Amino acid sequence: MSTYIAPLQDMRFVLDALAGLPEVAALPGYEEVTPDVVGAILQEAARFAAEVLAPLNTVGDRHGSRLEGGRVVTPPGFRDAYRRFVDAGWNGLDADPRFGGQGLPQLVAKPVHEMWKSANLAFSLCPMLTAAAVKAIQAHGSQAQQEAFLPKLVSGEWTGTMNLTEPQAGSDLSAVRTRALPQGDHYRIRGTKIFITWGEHDLAENIVHMVLARLPDAPEGVKGISLFIVPKFLVNRDGTLGPRNDVQAVSLEHKMGIHASPTAVMAYGENEGAVGYLVGEPHRGLEYMFTMMNNARLAVGLEGVAIAERATQQAVAYAKERVQGRPAGRTSEARMPIIHHPDVRRMLMSMKAQVEAMRALAYFASGLLDRAERHPDPTTRRQAQALVDLLTPVVKGWCTEQSVEVASTGIQVHGGMGYIEETGACQFLRDARITPIYEGTTGIQANDLVGRKLVRDGGATAMAFIQRMRADATALAGLGDGELTSVAQGLAQGLDCLEEASRWLLRVHPERPAAAAAGSVPYLKLFGWVAGGWLLAKAAMAAGQRLQDPQADEAWYRTKRVTARFYAEHCLPQTQALGQAITRGADSVLALDTSAF
């Protein structure tokens, strides 16, 4: 079973060469974000991930969290690890300094978060959801709510959750039935929520639940949903904890993976009614919750990157030490490690190329968030926000779908040993499988990409991004770099497919929305493959430039260029098949009567 080593060299390269960290660091308020500061943060995070979190990954998987007498007991070592996590200040890395955060760019925080997720995905879900709660309260809560809850949430002394789903209301939140009855300066919440990640645990002294519920006069549908803060323990005026609120975990789900993360069924108001505090205005809860969900969707996309990285590290380590047979073309009598076999190399190159493309896309989107929030020019802020809105479902959907593929390939590299739990390869696939479902399935992300993000501005943002990518493809072709000819050609062909599919969807969607929806998942995947290919092409160009430095790590930068070639030659050809599925395949998706299934 492999250990985890953070890929610091690739992380720094992506930050600087692809995601625009130098430009982000120049934004107002980020003056102290120097290369030395970033390097120190990443080095220390890598140490914490490897030494504290990674050793607990298998422990958490085997022990799981347990519900005992209404209390959730987390696996051995988790409480101490969380205490050390909070004491070291990791929870508030990119949070507002007004509430105790360190105020770092989201782009700097992303590789740190990737390390937590690679080292121990189940553990990382707790601070991820806390960060989402912080975003929602800071964006929409009253000053009193911010003062009461944010300092403890930012520090990690308290944790946060999202409470959307109910037994009858999964993706369709218009069916939410949880009720909120006014009582003085608060509300009494009654209802049941399911699939609540870290809804109950023993890591922190209080848990702040963000709960969707309906007021008595609420209209039907999503326009009648409000958002409430419902703490596990009520908070006194002086900030100390008061009595236990009427909220409890009544059961934990038995899941395929992420066993250490307690996924709870939460009961609100079994007795006197849980005390809740309205966030913002009535009936705007779903709008407010999307502040959490959009943040969480990018975070889940990063989970895909992280699990794929961990699965790749383990597969590479196994392939280097597992001795089996003689590779094709070798006449030596000596048997060799399987990494010398061409098909194993193909699988490892596929894993490596996909992970690097996924990381580049996730970091690129994070850099856009910082620009959207901090850039002094309002036009630049607006353009950055429009592009990150477009890319959010791609990051979430494509990176998580590919994480499942990469983790599955990792098992294949192991052969029969990969199917045995003791090697650890299975856990990565089991853990990865939730990511295309979390925070909206891939189908929901794809419908959002096509039905909202693509068509809302007539395709202007998507077409501008395609032209931006095409300009880089043209520049690459103009370099006359023979080693990268296939990269320029593959990217250009992928861009042709993406543009054709985008124009087809824009043309068809107004009159035949079901036909557009039938091609939405292939479109999301097409978008991801092309955007990833664009960033790897840029990486190859940047690597070529850095090779001009005599002090450069020549082997590492040449590897970057080969990886871009592999992606162009083995991954980008998929774009042609996806493009045809989008523009020619809708009728066969919709042709049969439901009775034929």
Side-chain angles (χ1 to χ4, degrees):
M1 190 175 299
S2 71
T3 57
Y4 170 65
I5 301 173
L8 292 177
Q9 190 168 8
D10 193 55
M11 289 174 165
R12 287 302 303 267
F13 177 79
V14 173
L15 288 175
D16 294 335
L18 305 180
L21 180 58
E23 293 80 8
V24 168
L27 295 174
Y30 293 150
E31 293 80 8
E32 296 182 7
V33 183
T34 64
D36 287 345
V37 168
V38 173
I41 291 170
L42 297 187
Q43 287 282 356
E44 186 58 25
R47 185 199 63 77
F48 190 91
E51 296 179 5
V52 179
L53 299 183
L56 295 176
N57 196 42
T58 302
V59 174
D61 184 57
R62 293 178 178 173
H63 286 264
S65 288
R66 311 183 313 277
L67 183 64
E68 298 179 351
R71 295 177 58 253
V72 168
V73 179
T74 53
F78 270 61
R79 290 186 66 184
D80 180 65
Y82 187 76
R83 178 189 58 78
R84 295 170 67 179
F85 180 86
V86 170
D87 290 348
W90 290 118
N91 200 67
L93 205 61
D94 57 345
D96 194 324
R98 291 179 299 161
F99 304 107
Q102 298 181 42
L104 289 169
Q106 294 181 70
L107 180 55
V108 174
K110 280 299 172 287
V112 176
H113 296 163
E114 181 192 332
M115 293 183 216
W116 308 152
K117 297 171 190 296
S118 279
N120 195 320
L121 179 60
F123 178 96
S124 75
L125 297 175
C126 186
M128 183 270 279
L129 287 165
T130 301
V134 168
K135 295 276 187 187
I137 295 173
Q138 186 168 350
H140 307 295
S142 67
Q143 181 177 347
Q145 289 170 346
Q146 293 177 11
E147 292 173 353
F149 295 102
L150 289 185
K152 294 294 182 70
L153 285 169
V154 167
S155 71
E157 294 172 78
W158 299 349
T159 65
T161 71
M162 296 170 62
N163 284 240
L164 290 76
T165 308
E166 298 179 7
Q168 79 292 339
S171 301
D172 181 10
L173 293 175
S174 65
V176 163
R177 294 177 185 166
T178 297
R179 296 290 172 179
L181 299 177
Q183 187 178 82
D185 63 350
H186 58 267
Y187 294 78
R188 291 288 180 174
I189 313 296
R190 297 182 185 276
T192 301
K193 298 289 185 178
I194 63 172
F195 301 156
I196 308 307
T197 302
W198 287 96
E200 174 60 33
H201 58 81
D202 58 3
L203 302 188
E205 63 181 8
N206 202 8
I207 304 172
V208 179
H209 302 290
M210 308 298 292
V211 181
L212 291 182
R214 292 184 181 280
L215 296 171
D217 60 347
E220 292 298 318
V222 295
K223 294 183 179 180
I225 299 173
S226 299
L227 179 62
F228 297 86
I229 298 171
V230 185
K232 174 180 174 180
F233 287 95
L234 300 179
V235 182
N236 298 320
R237 291 185 180 276
D238 63 359
T240 60
L241 294 184
R244 176 73 185 257
N245 206 354
D246 187 12
V247 53
Q248 60 182 327
V250 295
S251 68
L252 297 184
E253 305 293 353
H254 300 279
K255 307 187 301 294
M256 177 180 180
I258 53 169
H259 294 153
S261 171
T263 303
V265 176
M266 302 297 298
Y268 291 86
E270 292 289 288
N271 298 298
E272 68 276 10
V275 173
Y277 306 98
L278 178 68
V279 176
E281 299 177 11
H283 315 318
R284 296 181 66 185
L286 190 60
E287 172 192 343
Y288 298 157
M289 187 66 87
F290 264 100
T291 302
M292 296 181 72
M293 290 176 67
N294 286 331
N295 179 74
R297 284 173 174 177
L298 288 171
V300 173
L302 192 65
E303 291 171 12
V305 180
I307 287 293
E309 168 66 36
R310 188 73 187 273
T312 300
Q313 288 192 19
Q314 171 138 338
V316 169
Y318 183 82
K320 287 182 175 180
E321 63 186 29
R322 175 64 166 168
V323 176
Q324 285 286 286
R326 302 176 189 84
R330 298 289 183 100
T331 57
S332 169
E333 292 296 321
R335 290 175 172 81
M336 302 182 71
I338 62 173
I339 197 170
H340 294 280
H341 291 273
D343 191 59
V344 173
R345 293 172 68 92
R346 178 193 60 80
M347 288 189 285
L348 294 177
M349 281 299 300
S350 175
M351 297 172 77
K352 175 180 174 61
Q354 289 183 70
V355 169
E356 293 184 11
M358 292 154 61
R359 176 178 295 118
L361 185 58
Y363 289 16
F364 176 77
S366 296
L368 291 172
L369 281 175
D370 289 314
R371 291 176 177 85
E373 291 181 2
R374 296 284 185 116
H375 201 283
D377 177 52
T379 300
T380 301
R381 288 200 304 272
R382 185 171 60 253
Q383 291 173 341
Q385 188 62 57
L387 185 51
V388 78
D389 287 346
L390 178 73
L391 291 179
T392 293
V394 180
V395 171
K396 196 281 178 185
W398 182 67
C399 290
T400 57
E401 289 284 345
Q402 298 319 119
S403 75
V404 175
E405 178 179 315
V406 169
S408 179
T409 302
I411 291 177
Q412 193 74 9
V413 169
H414 286 72
M417 294 301 294
Y419 200 65
I420 305 301
E421 287 287 356
E422 283 74 11
T423 64
C426 288
Q427 183 185 349
F428 302 131
L429 180 58
R430 289 188 287 100
D431 286 354
R433 194 60 194 84
I434 187 59
T435 62
I437 300 171
Y438 260 158
E439 305 306 332
T441 64
T442 304
I444 289 173
Q445 304 305 315
N447 286 339
D448 177 53
L449 174 63
V450 172
R452 295 187 183 91
K453 308 302 171 56
L454 175 65
V455 305
R456 71 178 177 184
D457 60 359
T461 300
M463 291 304 171
F465 185 49
I466 289 171
Q467 293 311 310
R468 176 178 177 177
M469 293 189 285
R470 197 178 291 283
D472 285 326
T474 302
L476 177 58
L479 291 177
D481 187 335
E483 186 180 10
L484 300 182
T485 298
S486 64
V487 178
Q489 292 174 345
L491 179 56
Q493 292 168 359
L495 285 164
D496 289 343
C497 294
L498 180 59
E499 183 169 350
E500 180 186 2
S502 299
R503 295 191 184 282
W504 186 88
L505 289 166
L506 288 165
R507 186 171 63 253
V508 168
H509 185 272
E511 300 298 328
R512 299 173 59 205
S520 62
V521 168
Y523 181 71
L524 181 149
K525 293 181 177 180
L526 170 59
F527 214 124
W529 284 118
V530 173
W534 167 63
L535 288 164
L536 288 193
K538 287 173 67 70
M541 289 191 286
Q545 293 169 354
R546 296 189 181 192
L547 280 169
Q548 305 304 313
D549 182 354
Q551 304 300 316
D553 185 341
E554 181 176 352
W556 194 85
Y557 287 117
R558 291 203 178 281
T559 298
K560 269 291 176 191
R561 290 163 64 84
V562 172
T563 302
R565 279 180 49 209
F566 179 92
Y567 189 97
E569 295 166 1
H570 291 260
C571 299
L572 282 177
Q574 298 179 57
T575 60
Q576 297 180 48
L578 290 166
Q580 290 188 16
I582 296 161
T583 60
R584 303 180 190 177
D587 288 346
S588 61
V589 171
L590 304 171
L592 295 180
D593 185 84
T594 55
S595 63
F597 289 91

